Amino acid sequence: MNELLLLSPEIVITIVAFAVLTLDIIWKGDQRSAKILPWVAFGGVVVALLATLNVWPASSSEFGIATDSAGLIPIMAVDKMALFFKVMALLTVALVGLSAVEYIEKNSPFRGEFYALTLFAGLSLMFLSSATNLVMIYLSLEFLSITSYILTGYLRRDNRSIEAALKYFLYGALASGVMLYGFSLLYGATGSVDLATIAVNLGSANVFLVVASVTLILAGFGFKIAAVPFHQWSPDAYQGAPTPITAFLSVGSKAAGFAVLIRVLVVALPAYSFNWTVILSMVAILTMTVGNLTALWQKDMKRMLAYSSIAQAGYMLIGLAAFTSQSSDNWSNGVQGVLLFLFAYLFTNLGVFAVVIVLENKLGTTNIADYAGLIRRSPFLSIALVIFFLSLIGIPPTGGFMGKLLVFGAAIDQKLYVLAGIGILNSVISVYYYFGVVRQVFFAQESDETPIQPGFVMNAVITVTMVMTLILALYGQPFIQFATDSADILAATF
Amino acid sequence: MMPIPLSWWLTVSAALFSIGVYGALSRKNAIGILMGIELVLNAVNINLVAFWRYIAPTDISGQVFAIIVITVAAAEAAVGLAIIIALYRRRQTAVVDDLDLLKN
C-alpha cells in the first residue's frame, strides 16, 4: 500500500489545523464567520477518522514503516495498535472540540488558535501512537507537551489558568529531561534508537545501564499518565486549565502515554530480559491507592476528577503488569484489557467533563457544593452524571465495568491475586467520593430551582458519550473484538 | 595523543545531569528552575554525541537526536518563558512558592 495513504489521517489533520489558523486570520473581527471555525475543525476530524478506518484493513502484523530518505532508520509503524490509538485520539479531539465551543466563546477572545492547537495536540497523539523510534517518541511527546502547556494557559486573563500552565510546564520539562537522559543511556547501551534493534541488542547490553535507563524512561512516561509518584502536577494542571483542556489532558495525554508505554514495553523491552511485573505492580498499587484516598476529601469537581483519573491510570497499570508477567499462555489479555478500558474511559470521562462544562457555563463554578439539588434543575444532566460515575466505579451495565472485568481478569489469570484484590478494594473506596457528588445532586436542598438547559451541541456530546458508555457493556462484542485485534497484532511482532 | 575515554564524557554528563536536577528541585524562581532543566538537556546532548562517537559511529542517529534535542529545547524554552512572562504581568512574581491559588 502506498505509504502516503497510510499517513493520510495525519496529513488531513495537519492541513485542517493550518486551514483553521488561516481562516482565523482571514475572519478576524468577523464574529459570524468565526463561529464556523469549530465546525471546520470537526469536519476535518471526521474525514481523518474515515481515513483511519480506510487504512485499518491494510495494516497487518507486518510493520508498515515510514523510513527516512536513505531507507535506513524506521520511524513509524502503522499497525492495528497504532490505528486503535489514532481512533482514540480523533474521538477525543472531536468530543473535546465540540464541548469547548460554548466555553471558549464565553471565556476567551481568541478562538481559532484554540481549535488549531487542539488539532495539533491530536496530531501529536497520532504520531506518538505510531512512533517506533526513540527520536520520534521524544519528538512527538514534546509536541504533545508543548501544545498542552499552551492550551493549559490558554485563558491568559485567568490567574489560575496561567498558574496551572507554569506548574505543568516546570514539572513536564523536568520529566521530559529525565526521560531523555534515560533515552540517551539506552542508546548508549544498545547503539541504536530503533525499538526493534534495541530489543535485539539488549541481550549483550550492560545490565546496569539498561535498568538505569529504563527506570528514567518509566519516570517520563509515568509523568504523562500521571502515575504516582509523578502525579503532583495533575491536580493543579487539571483544576486550573480550561475545562475542555482538562478533559483532553485526562483522556488524550493518558491514552498516548499508555500507547507509547505499551509499545516500548512490548517491542524494545520484552519481559524476559527483566522482571517488570514487580515494578509495574508497585506503581499500580501506589497510583490507585493515592489517587482514590486523596480524591475522598476534594471539594472542587475538577480537582476530584484529577485524582479520580490518577486512580483510573492505576487500574490500567494492573493490565500492563499482567501483560509483563506472562506466567500463563494468554498473557496478551492484559493489553487487550487496557485497550478496552481506555476506550470505555474515553467516553465516560469526556462525558463527565461535558456535564462539568455545561454546569460551569451556567453556574460559573466547579464546586461540588454548588451542584446541590441538580436533579430538580436538570434531570437529564443528573442521570448522565450517575451513569458516568457508575462507569468510573465499574458497576454494570457500563463500559467501565467491561474494562475493569478484562483488566482484573487478566491479573487473576496471571495469578496476581494481591494486585487484583487491591484493585477491587480501591474500586469500593471510590464509590464513596463519586456518590458524594451524587448525594449532593439528588438529596441536598437548594433554594434556586431555575432549570438548566444545555445547548444543542452539549446535549449531543453528552448523549453520544452516555450511549457509548452503555453500548460498550450491553453490546460490547465488536469493541472487545476491536481491542483484541489491536492487541493480538502487537503480540505477533514478538 | 591519548584519546579521552568514553567514561570521562559520561562522568561529566552525569555530573551535569545531577547539578541540573538539583537546581530544578531546589530553586524557587521559575527562571532558575528552567536553567536547571536546560542543564539536564545539555547533559543528554553530551551523552548522545559521546555514545554516537564511541559506540555507533556508523549511523548518524545519535547526532541527529542531539540536534533535535537542541531544537526542541529552544521551542520549549520559548513557550516556558512566554508562560513566565504572562504570569509575571498578572502577579508581579516568578517565584513558584507564591503560586498557591490552586488547592483544595
Side-chain angles (χ1 to χ4, degrees):
Chain A
M1 192 174 187
N2 190 340
E3 284 192 353
L4 217 50
L5 203 60
L6 286 174
L7 291 180
S8 52
E10 281 91 343
I11 295 171
V12 170
I13 291 290
T14 314
I15 293 173
V16 173
F18 280 112
V20 168
L21 269 184
T22 318
L23 288 175
D24 184 45
I25 296 169
I26 295 174
W27 288 339
K28 201 131 229 145
D30 180 0
Q31 291 297 328
R32 283 188 50 194
S33 310
K35 279 198 192 307
I36 306 171
L37 283 175
W39 299 103
V40 175
F42 181 70
V45 174
V46 171
V47 174
L49 205 53
L50 294 176
T52 314
L53 296 178
N54 174 43
V55 174
W56 177 266
S59 64
S60 65
S61 64
E62 296 293 313
F63 278 152
I65 292 174
T67 54
D68 63 337
S69 55
L72 286 173
I73 308 161
I75 295 171
M76 289 168 76
V78 184
D79 50 11
K80 286 205 162 57
M81 166 91 177
L83 291 177
F84 177 88
F85 279 103
K86 282 177 196 180
V87 170
M88 296 255 311
L90 289 168
L91 286 173
T92 311
V93 171
L95 291 170
V96 166
L98 287 184
S99 45
V101 174
E102 200 182 330
Y103 186 94
I104 287 300
E105 227 165 78
K106 219 173 147 190
N107 292 297
S108 170
F110 311 106
R111 298 192 195 136
E113 288 114 325
F114 182 87
Y115 299 108
L117 280 169
T118 316
L119 286 173
F120 280 128
L123 182 65
S124 68
L125 299 181
M126 295 163 81
F127 281 136
L128 198 51
S129 55
S130 295
T132 62
N133 182 308
L134 292 184
V135 182
M136 190 63 197
I137 291 176
Y138 169 66
L139 208 50
S140 37
L141 212 55
E142 278 304 283
F143 187 10
L144 171 62
S145 298
I146 290 176
T147 40
S148 305
Y149 304 149
I150 303 174
L151 284 168
T152 303
Y154 200 76
L155 306 178
R156 277 195 315 201
R157 293 172 194 169
D158 181 353
N159 281 342
R160 295 191 306 168
S161 174
I162 286 287
E163 178 177 328
L166 185 69
K167 285 180 173 169
Y168 187 19
F169 167 75
L170 292 176
Y171 278 120
L174 184 61
S176 73
V178 169
M179 179 195 70
L180 203 52
Y181 196 75
F183 279 179
S184 75
L185 292 183
L186 193 59
Y187 171 63
T190 59
S192 174
V193 289
D194 170 44
L195 292 185
T197 321
I198 287 174
V200 173
N201 295 353
L202 215 51
S204 55
N206 181 337
V207 175
F208 170 75
L209 213 52
V210 173
V211 172
S213 72
V214 174
T215 313
L216 294 173
I217 293 173
L218 284 185
F221 294 163
F223 170 84
K224 265 277 157 273
I225 60 175
V228 177
F230 313 106
H231 66 293
Q232 293 94 337
W233 62 277
S234 81
D236 285 349
Y238 282 25
Q239 191 187 352
T243 314
I245 295 311
T246 312
F248 176 82
L249 292 180
S250 74
V251 176
S253 296
K254 203 158 288 212
F258 272 98
V260 69
L261 186 57
I262 292 172
R263 197 178 286 280
V264 168
L265 279 177
V266 172
V267 181
L269 311 163
Y272 42 79
S273 63
F274 189 80
N275 186 4
W276 300 113
T277 316
V278 178
I279 297 181
L280 284 173
S281 305
M282 297 278 283
V283 175
I285 291 173
L286 268 176
T287 309
M288 288 184 294
T289 315
V290 171
N292 275 322
L293 291 183
T294 330
L296 289 178
W297 43 77
Q298 298 305 320
K299 296 184 180 65
D300 183 275
M301 186 71 172
K302 279 161 86 177
R303 210 171 168 84
M304 186 207 91
L305 286 172
Y307 284 108
S308 127
S309 85
I310 292 173
Q312 300 286 337
Y315 302 137
M316 296 178 219
L317 282 169
I318 294 180
L320 281 192
F323 167 72
T324 53
S325 120
Q326 306 193 359
S327 65
S328 79
D329 287 340
N330 38 4
W331 42 267
S332 74
N333 280 359
V335 168
Q336 178 201 340
V338 173
L339 295 186
L340 193 75
F341 195 121
L342 270 168
F343 205 64
Y345 173 76
L346 180 147
F347 292 109
T348 309
N349 227 39
L350 289 181
V352 175
F353 274 109
V355 174
V356 174
I357 290 170
V358 171
L359 293 175
E360 195 181 347
N361 285 342
K362 305 287 179 193
L363 306 174
T365 163
T366 54
N367 270 337
I368 295 174
D370 294 327
Y371 290 4
L374 183 68
I375 180 71
R376 281 181 296 281
R377 305 182 69 178
S378 173
F380 172 64
L381 290 179
S382 310
I383 300 295
L385 207 56
V386 172
I387 290 176
F388 293 137
F389 280 159
L390 286 179
S391 178
L392 285 175
I393 299 167
I395 295 175
T398 56
F401 168 73
M402 298 303 284
K404 269 194 182 156
L405 190 67
L406 287 183
V407 167
F408 292 168
I412 290 169
D413 222 27
Q414 301 301 315
K415 303 192 173 54
L416 299 168
Y417 300 119
V418 177
L419 191 56
I422 294 179
I424 292 166
L425 200 66
N426 263 292
S427 307
V428 176
I429 296 175
S430 71
V431 174
Y432 180 81
Y433 59 84
Y434 290 128
F435 273 75
V437 180
V438 173
R439 186 177 52 101
Q440 197 71 11
V441 166
F442 278 82
F443 302 117
Q445 292 300 320
E446 169 68 34
S447 48
D448 186 3
E449 292 201 354
T450 38
I452 295 175
Q453 277 293 337
F456 169 72
V457 179
M458 293 311 288
N459 253 333
V461 170
I462 295 171
T463 311
V464 166
T465 47
M466 193 162 63
V467 168
M468 283 306 289
T469 305
L470 293 173
I471 281 185
L472 274 171
L474 301 175
Y475 186 62
Q477 201 48 46
F479 299 99
I480 295 177
Q481 196 57 45
F482 182 38
T484 313
D485 284 350
S486 312
D488 261 359
I489 291 305
L490 203 67
T493 63
F494 250 100
Chain B
M1 201 174 74
M2 265 248 304
I4 300 172
L6 175 61
S7 58
W8 290 25
W9 295 107
L10 299 187
T11 312
V12 170
S13 145
L16 208 53
F17 176 75
S18 311
I19 294 170
V21 171
Y22 175 77
L25 295 180
S26 64
R27 284 292 173 150
K28 300 274 178 250
N29 191 303
I31 308 268
I33 298 174
L34 194 56
M35 286 162 75
I37 292 165
E38 294 294 318
L39 282 187
V40 171
L41 295 178
N42 285 337
V44 171
N45 281 338
I46 294 179
N47 253 357
L48 285 172
V49 177
F51 278 135
W52 164 74
R53 179 71 183 77
Y54 287 81
I55 306 254
T58 44
D59 85 49
I60 54 162
S61 312
Q63 268 193 337
V64 172
F65 204 163
I67 289 171
I68 287 180
V69 170
I70 294 171
T71 320
V72 173
E76 198 172 50
V79 169
L81 289 172
I83 292 174
I84 294 174
I85 289 173
L87 180 88
Y88 189 84
R89 279 195 186 141
R90 293 202 60 86
R91 310 267 294 268
Q92 274 73 48
T93 180
V95 178
V96 285
D97 283 1
D98 297 344
L99 305 178
D100 49 7
L101 283 179
L102 298 169
K103 56 181 171 229
N104 191 29

